[in-house]
Amino acid sequence: MSTPDESRVAPPSGPAHGVPTSPPAGDPRDADGLVARLQRGDDAAFETLVRMHGPRMLAVARRYLPQDADAQDALQDAFVNVARAIGGFEGASRLETWLHRIVVNAALMKLRARSRRPEVSVDEEALARIERSRGPSGWSSTADEALSRRELEEIVRDEVARLPDDYRAVLVLRDVEGLGVDEIAALLDVGAAAAKMRLQHARRMLRAALGARLTPSEAP
Amino acid sequence: MHCRDALPLVLAGLDAPLDAARQRDLDAHLLVCADCVEALREHVLAREAFRDASLATAPEPPLPEAVVRDLVARMRAARAAPPAGGARSA
């Protein structure tokens, strides 16, 4: 069972994570009051917590687990872990940060449980061939000229979702959570060299996939 | 430097600073190699687009009522039967 303090994952900064920081005491969003009620086993507090933080936690889980059923499973595991661990929550981190760690750990645990199979082998030759074949007029110009930023973001997100689990996870941990290679290695329980290699393979696979999708096909 | 040596450095440099000598060699190669510049540009563009997409500011839709009820029930059950090992503090 993952526990909340196993990682240093914290919600990336930015407006998307802007849960109000200091609502008045008595307000259901008051984090300190909510924690106290949760620790007392107040039934209504569980529901408030789920309603307030569940949607964001599910979105975090989906970054790692694009299939909705998997993300929902991770969310369930996360809230069960919250219920078990809330008694020990001392406020050393913000409630939102603590919840973020828990759901990331739950998602990673689910990925780990699914990954009891040999790691996806990377077709080095195919990747290298694609990288060699692409000239200076690659897809970045297409992205700049033919797509809005939002369209590009949607395509990139879609292609990341298609990556093998292990590769998607390292990209999320690095590019979204902002963790360093050593932190990623510790979270995934692999060596730093393996984490670095996964990152490089993930980036190459993503670039190749984007190239296939965004590079105009040549006329016959 | 050949492209086959430069591309791993392009990738490595995305995730950790290169040492000064390698960075110097890579910079020199990028001055004369449009392919590797394009590779760097594509990797950076993909990384930024992925981060921005993941941190999009659109509010998340509320959880369906059935999901809320199920999660609350699971929390209550877990709270009623904590694991033997106990929980650690944040």
Side-chain angles (χ1 to χ4, degrees):
Chain A
M1 171 88 47
S2 67
T3 48
D5 54 350
E6 285 174 355
S7 88
R8 283 170 281 171
V9 179
S13 59
H17 302 275
V19 170
T21 51
S22 56
D27 187 308
R29 296 168 299 161
D30 168 19
D32 291 342
L34 180 60
V35 168
R37 290 166 56 216
L38 288 166
Q39 290 177 331
R40 288 196 303 268
D42 179 340
D43 277 357
F46 289 134
E47 186 172 334
T48 300
L49 185 80
V50 168
R51 289 188 191 282
M52 267 181 68
H53 295 280
R56 167 52 54 186
M57 291 168 71
L58 181 59
V60 171
R62 282 197 181 113
R63 292 177 190 157
Y64 297 87
L65 300 160
Q67 297 291 324
D68 196 56
D70 294 335
Q72 295 274 0
D73 282 352
L75 185 67
Q76 285 177 7
D77 292 346
F79 274 116
V80 166
N81 291 343
V82 167
R84 288 176 178 159
I86 191 66
F89 180 79
E90 295 171 346
S93 59
R94 289 174 56 203
L95 177 62
E96 183 197 16
T97 304
W98 190 69
L99 295 172
H100 184 89
R101 288 175 185 158
I102 289 175
V103 74
V104 169
N105 279 332
L108 291 176
M109 289 295 286
K110 185 152 189 65
L111 284 178
R112 198 174 298 173
R114 284 194 340 191
S115 297
R116 306 252 185 261
R117 60 185 188 281
E119 189 163 328
V120 175
S121 64
V122 174
D123 186 343
E124 281 286 348
E125 184 51 39
L127 274 174
R129 198 164 50 243
I130 291 167
E131 288 169 344
R132 279 198 304 270
S133 68
R134 187 96 39 67
S137 56
W139 58 260
S140 72
S141 53
T142 307
D144 281 345
E145 293 161 14
L147 296 172
S148 71
R149 180 67 182 194
R150 180 159 298 186
E151 287 170 325
L152 176 63
E153 289 173 8
E154 284 302 313
I155 290 170
V156 171
R157 183 157 55 183
D158 188 39
E159 292 299 337
V160 171
R162 293 168 194 261
L163 291 176
D165 291 344
D166 293 336
Y167 297 134
R168 183 173 56 255
V170 291
L171 278 186
V172 177
L173 290 169
R174 175 70 189 130
D175 292 347
V176 181
E177 306 286 358
L179 299 187
V181 171
D182 289 341
E183 293 170 303
I184 294 170
L187 261 181
L188 299 179
D189 198 21
V190 299
K196 196 178 295 185
M197 189 60 68
R198 276 190 204 177
L199 259 175
Q200 296 199 2
H201 283 158
R203 294 197 190 287
R204 292 172 68 192
M205 291 174 82
L206 177 60
R207 179 180 174 231
L210 292 169
R213 189 151 164 184
L214 296 174
T215 305
S217 55
E218 292 180 13
Chain B
M1 176 179 276
H2 294 284
C3 295
R4 66 173 175 272
D5 301 315
L7 285 170
L9 295 183
V10 165
L11 284 163
L14 291 169
D15 297 313
L18 300 176
D19 64 50
R22 285 182 171 188
Q23 186 66 59
R24 200 165 43 243
D25 290 347
L26 177 60
D27 289 345
H29 179 77
L30 292 176
L31 283 175
V32 297
C33 181
D35 286 9
C36 287
V37 169
E38 174 64 12
L40 175 59
R41 195 153 181 259
E42 290 176 359
H43 283 303
V44 170
L45 200 53
R47 181 177 64 178
E48 291 176 351
F50 178 50
R51 179 179 166 81
D52 291 349
S54 300
L55 300 180
T57 54
E60 304 297 334
L63 298 176
E65 280 304 310
V67 172
V68 172
R69 283 196 298 274
D70 177 62
L71 290 171
V72 171
R74 287 173 188 273
M75 291 182 78
R76 285 176 185 147
R79 189 87 172 120
R88 287 183 284 174
S89 153

